[in-house]
Amino acid sequence: MENCIFCKIINGDIPSERVYEDENMVIIKDVNPQAAIHLLLLPKEHYADIEEMTYAQAHTLAECVKKLSEMTKQLGLENGFRLVSNKGKHGCQSVGHLHIHILGGEQLGDRMG
Ligand code: DGP
């Protein structure tokens, strides 16, 4: 997608701190961290959010999340983490390329809203 920041990051047109990449996803450090560890899981395929996501893309995303669960030690998340995906205005989504926030590296608060 031409004007998508995350597509540009995935393609390497915008620099990022990449911590993992495979055929389906890139995991980068969030530029504005909100926890000791704050990563973003970016599916390589462009779709805006879970509403636009196809069932095939949902299947791929589930595989990405499962893979993440196998990398917790290398990512410093072995004591737990939180996954968040903001959607739309009320969800405060600011980038229209589906992404999952991965937060951890410290004790997180128990409020989510
Ligand atoms: P959201 O508000 O849920 O759409 O989250 C977007 C996140 O993306 C936000 O935490 C900041 C991050 N972000 C935006 N632009 C960039 C960028 O150019 N590089 C990196 N690494 N993160 C970015």
Side-chain angles (χ1 to χ4, degrees), residues 47-90:
Y47 47 99
D49 54 38
I50 58 168
E51 195 176 353
E52 198 178 283
M53 176 173 69
T54 65
Y55 278 90
Q57 288 165 336
H59 182 83
T60 302
L61 185 63
E63 287 186 348
C64 294
V65 171
K66 180 59 194 157
K67 194 165 272 184
L68 171 69
S69 79
E70 294 164 354
M71 298 190 296
T72 53
K73 201 163 183 190
Q74 83 188 61
L75 296 175
L77 298 167
E78 63 270 35
N79 290 325
F81 55 89
R82 178 173 294 157
L83 302 182
V84 175
S85 189
N86 295 327
K87 150 75 178 153
K89 182 172 178 288
H90 280 190

Side-chain angles (χ1 to χ4, degrees), residues 6 9 28-31 40 86 92-95 99 101:
F6 286 168
I9 285 176
I28 62 170
K29 292 189 182 178
D30 194 291
V31 78
L40 297 171
N86 295 327
C92 298
Q93 182 178 8
S94 62
V95 180
H99 50 284
H101 296 262

